[in-house]
């Protein structure tokens, strides 16, 4: 449940950023609509982040649970922020000249890698790791990972 809440929080942060970007480019009516959407997604992201921390704390049941839950929430929030920064850099790259495009594509790649890193940290803290086609859980059970076609 904590992972689900963290994923939902991440999606709301991305949707919030998207709505804020649309509001900046819109007229008066579009600005009002998109600012309302952004506020909704902000509140939902905060709610899901709190729920993720709460679920993580309940699931751990140790004295270390507060710091571990805090780390999970921080990593999830960092992943979301990097995704938003990636999108922002990609948008700037599309509107830039050749030098700006190169700079912003590099920024987008950096934020993409950092978002993946933070997402993997969250998965590890929650006890799920992927390793060469196998999902390894902390309870030592091993199950085949879902196969995805290579691009």
């Amino acid at each position: 449940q904590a992972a689900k809440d963290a994923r939902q929080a991440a999606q709301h942060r991305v949707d919030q950023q998207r709505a804020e970007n649309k509001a900046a480019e819109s007229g008066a009516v579009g600005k009002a609509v998109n600012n309302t959407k952004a506020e909704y997604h902000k509140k939902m992201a905060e709610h899901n982040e709190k729920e993720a921390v709460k679920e993580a704390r309940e699931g751990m049941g140790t004295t270390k649970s507060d710091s571990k839950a805090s780390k999970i929430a921080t990593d999830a929030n960092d992943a979301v922020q990097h995704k938003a920064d990636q999108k922002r850099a990609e948008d700037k790259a599309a509107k830039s000249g050749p030098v700006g495009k190169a700079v912003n594509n590099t920024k987008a790649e950096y934020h993409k890698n950092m978002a993946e890193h933070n997402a993997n940290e969250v998965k590890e803290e929650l006890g799920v790791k992927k390793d060469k086609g196998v999902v390894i859980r902390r309870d030592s059970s091993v199950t085949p990972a879902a196969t995805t076609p290579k691009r």
Side-chain angles (χ1 to χ4, degrees):
Q1 183 63 33
K4 180 181 174 189
D5 286 332
R7 279 192 305 273
Q8 287 176 337
Q11 186 59 51
H12 280 297
R13 289 287 183 198
V14 170
D15 291 342
Q16 174 190 354
Q17 187 64 44
R18 211 174 273 142
E20 288 171 353
N21 289 343
K22 281 186 179 180
E25 298 170 356
S26 300
V29 174
K31 191 171 293 226
V33 168
N34 286 301
N35 281 334
T36 303
K37 286 182 181 179
E39 188 62 29
Y40 164 77
H41 287 297
K42 178 182 177 184
K43 287 180 181 178
M44 289 304 296
E46 290 169 354
H47 168 75
N48 287 128
E49 287 164 356
K50 287 178 186 174
E51 288 297 312
V53 170
K54 180 180 160 189
E55 292 289 332
R57 283 181 181 150
E58 289 172 1
M60 287 176 236
T62 66
T63 56
K64 294 182 182 179
S65 64
D66 283 350
S67 63
K68 192 170 181 181
S70 178
K71 181 170 177 11
I72 291 169
T74 300
D75 285 338
N77 194 37
D78 288 348
V80 171
Q81 191 58 48
H82 280 297
K83 271 300 199 187
D85 291 341
Q86 175 191 352
K87 177 71 173 135
R88 198 175 300 124
E90 288 170 350
D91 290 345
K92 279 187 180 179
K95 297 174 184 175
S96 299
V99 174
K101 193 175 295 283
V103 168
N104 285 302
N105 282 335
T106 302
K107 286 181 181 180
E109 187 66 26
Y110 165 78
H111 288 298
K112 177 184 174 188
N113 292 337
M114 289 305 294
E116 288 174 6
H117 171 75
N118 289 121
N120 288 335
E121 289 286 318
V122 169
K123 288 176 188 173
E124 277 186 36
E125 289 296 323
L126 293 172
V128 178
K129 288 194 267 183
K130 266 192 165 179
D131 184 38
K132 296 183 182 179
V134 175
V135 175
I136 303 169
R137 302 196 190 293
R138 285 206 177 145
D139 64 358
S140 299
S141 63
V142 177
T143 57
T147 57
T148 56
K150 291 189 177 184
R151 294 180 187 195

